[in-house]
Amino acid sequence: MNVKFRLTVMNFLQFFIWGSWLITIGVYWFQNKNWSGAEFGAIFSTMGISSIFMPALTGIISDRFVNAEKLYGVLHILGAIVLFTLPMVTNPSVFFWVILLNMIFYMPTLSLSITVAYSALKSSNKDVVKDYPPIRIWGTIGFIAALWVVSLTGNEASSNQFYIASAVSLALGLYAFTLPKCPPLASKIATKSFVDALGLKAFTLFKQRKFAVFFFFSMFLGAALQLTNAYGDTFLHDFKNVPAYQDLLAVKYPAVIMSISQISETLFILAIPFFLRKFGIKYVMLFSMIAWVLRFGLFAFADPAGGLWMIILSCIIYGMAFDFFNISGSLFVETQIDETIRGSAQGLFMMMVNGFGALFGSFASGYIIQHFFTNADQSKDWHHIWLTFAAYTLVLAVVFPFIFKYKHNKAEAKAIEAMNH
């Protein structure tokens, strides 16, 4: 097997694990266990909690003590064990701690998989910029494949989704030990302080107005991402309680419908260079916020019958909503800061999105839904839930262009051009 194929398999399995349960855990929570919405919001906060400290910690370990591919494999094996135990949990509070432990093992593997891929490609004299994206796209395909497997086998509300994820995690953990060697690089780089290794130096960027505004709005958009991850599939599943909708495709296989979002994501990635060259980061971020408004607003008025087109259109719009703040935001950081803190600045961006943004979105949405939009019979007022989320992102879209004082410049456009060649 050549290196690119081996890394393709790694990426496919990496995101297959996540896709097996991330979108459907809400269905398991509400329909299988009948637990409350307030407690469910805490479940999605585990990604944020683990993202704040684990990637940095495992990065230090792989830089100084252990081969990256070995650490990657161990974390996936530990994650497999935790996932296998999840169906045995009968208490929502215990479930929180178990899923947190799983995310502590899983979240750092996202960055470690990149480390392994980059190291292997460079060792094989490959062009990372040219060869890595076609490999990474198989991660999204793996996520979609997992959604389809779980949905088409009727396991969206079943504990089997965790067994599927556990089996694949174990397989990837063992497979990782066959990947190209990625030894610690501390001996080859300048000595770094513990503070620098954690990326804390990048916090000085908050002294600059443009970065302070950018990072805070990134956090707010990261919260919007958690809303759609946590409640999109559950929203469609609840139509099963309406006799007229029970036999419709979107109700029988909601995860398959939701996978259109990931398919759209792969397509909008290709559009980012054009939009950044043409409009610059300020307007691309604004387009993302408007897309989030449409994403939630369409859900508010959709149904699986006559309103199915709204659900599908919402899923298509998701690609712009996600990519235009996540990927273009990362590029903005890359082209605007001093190269000496480039890596730590990217870490700060991801911390704001997947760390603090995820925490804010998880806890706030869980509280709001439980106290304002949950009926006496525990059914959800989805129409007003989605309108509330749409209003939240609309406020961001209205305020952002007045606060974010940044003009499109040629240097940024040139950086985009360099990525394409």
Side-chain angles (χ1 to χ4, degrees), residues 3 26 28 40 67 77 109 134 136 148 179 205 217 236 245 255 281-282 307 339 348 405:
V3 170
Y28 176 79
F40 179 67
N67 279 29
I77 291 173
T109 65
R136 171 58 184 83
W148 283 51
L179 291 170
L205 292 173
F217 273 90
L236 294 181
Y245 298 136
I281 184 63
K282 180 174 181 177
E339 63 180 5
L348 177 57
K405 305 295 184 182

Side-chain angles (χ1 to χ4, degrees), residues 272-282 284 328 331-332 334-336 406-421:
I272 288 176
F274 167 78
F275 277 89
L276 280 175
R277 286 197 306 269
K278 184 72 174 179
F279 301 103
I281 184 63
K282 180 174 181 177
V284 169
S328 62
L331 181 60
F332 171 72
E334 186 73 12
T335 57
Q336 296 299 313
Y406 177 79
K407 293 183 178 180
H408 183 40
N409 58 62
K410 294 181 180 179
E412 183 181 15
K414 288 180 179 179
I416 307 301
E417 291 284 356
M419 286 186 60
N420 276 338
H421 294 86

Side-chain angles (χ1 to χ4, degrees), residues 83-162:
L83 285 167
F84 190 82
T85 65
L86 268 174
M88 306 174 194
V89 178
T90 58
N91 180 283
S93 297
V94 175
F95 193 93
F96 167 82
W97 291 108
V98 177
I99 202 71
L100 174 60
L101 182 60
N102 173 65
M103 296 311 283
I104 285 174
F105 293 141
Y106 181 83
M107 292 309 293
T109 65
L110 294 173
S111 56
L112 284 172
S113 68
I114 296 174
T115 300
V116 171
Y118 276 35
S119 176
L121 289 172
K122 290 179 179 178
S123 297
S124 300
N125 297 316
K126 304 291 185 183
D127 184 339
V128 172
V129 174
K130 176 183 176 182
D131 293 322
Y132 180 69
I135 293 171
R136 171 58 184 83
I137 202 171
W138 281 94
T140 302
I141 294 173
F143 193 96
I144 295 169
L147 280 175
W148 283 51
V149 168
V150 170
S151 184
L152 294 176
T153 56
N155 285 308
E156 293 191 31
S158 167
S159 60
N160 288 336
Q161 60 186 284
F162 302 115

Side-chain angles (χ1 to χ4, degrees), residues 201-202 204-205 208 210-211 332-346:
K201 186 178 179 180
T204 59
L205 292 173
Q208 301 180 42
K210 68 176 181 180
F211 275 114
F332 171 72
V333 173
E334 186 73 12
T335 57
Q336 296 299 313
I337 47 85
D338 185 275
E339 63 180 5
T340 60
I341 61 168
R342 184 161 291 165
S344 56
Q346 290 289 352

Side-chain angles (χ1 to χ4, degrees), residues 196-248:
D196 286 341
L198 288 177
L200 298 181
K201 186 178 179 180
F203 277 94
T204 59
L205 292 173
F206 277 104
K207 295 180 179 179
Q208 301 180 42
R209 176 185 171 86
K210 68 176 181 180
F211 275 114
V213 174
F214 171 77
F215 283 133
F216 277 116
F217 273 90
S218 295
M219 179 186 72
F220 294 141
L221 288 174
L225 176 61
Q226 296 313 303
L227 303 179
T228 196
N229 281 343
Y231 301 107
D233 194 62
T234 304
F235 160 64
L236 294 181
H237 256 281
D238 273 4
F239 281 104
K240 285 185 176 180
N241 299 321
V242 182
Y245 298 136
Q246 288 177 351
D247 296 325
L248 296 179

Side-chain angles (χ1 to χ4, degrees), residues 29-30 36-43 231 362-363 366-367 369-371:
W29 181 277
F30 291 111
S36 78
E39 291 172 306
F40 179 67
I43 294 302
Y231 301 107
S362 298
F363 284 117
Y367 179 87
I369 289 175
Q370 183 65 26
H371 288 82

Side-chain angles (χ1 to χ4, degrees), residues 262-333:
Q262 280 67 47
I263 296 172
S264 173
E265 182 186 330
T266 65
L267 299 176
F268 271 101
I269 288 175
L270 303 176
I272 288 176
F274 167 78
F275 277 89
L276 280 175
R277 286 197 306 269
K278 184 72 174 179
F279 301 103
I281 184 63
K282 180 174 181 177
Y283 285 100
V284 169
M285 291 281 286
L286 180 60
F287 294 156
S288 170
M289 295 173 192
I290 295 172
W292 280 117
V293 175
L294 294 174
R295 163 72 162 179
F296 298 138
L298 285 166
F299 271 168
F301 296 96
D303 64 68
L308 179 60
W309 68 271
M310 294 186 191
I311 295 174
I312 294 175
L313 181 57
S314 176
C315 290
I316 294 172
I317 289 172
Y318 170 86
M320 174 181 283
F322 176 78
D323 289 338
F324 276 30
F325 93 85
N326 197 313
I327 297 177
S328 62
S330 177
L331 181 60
F332 171 72
V333 173

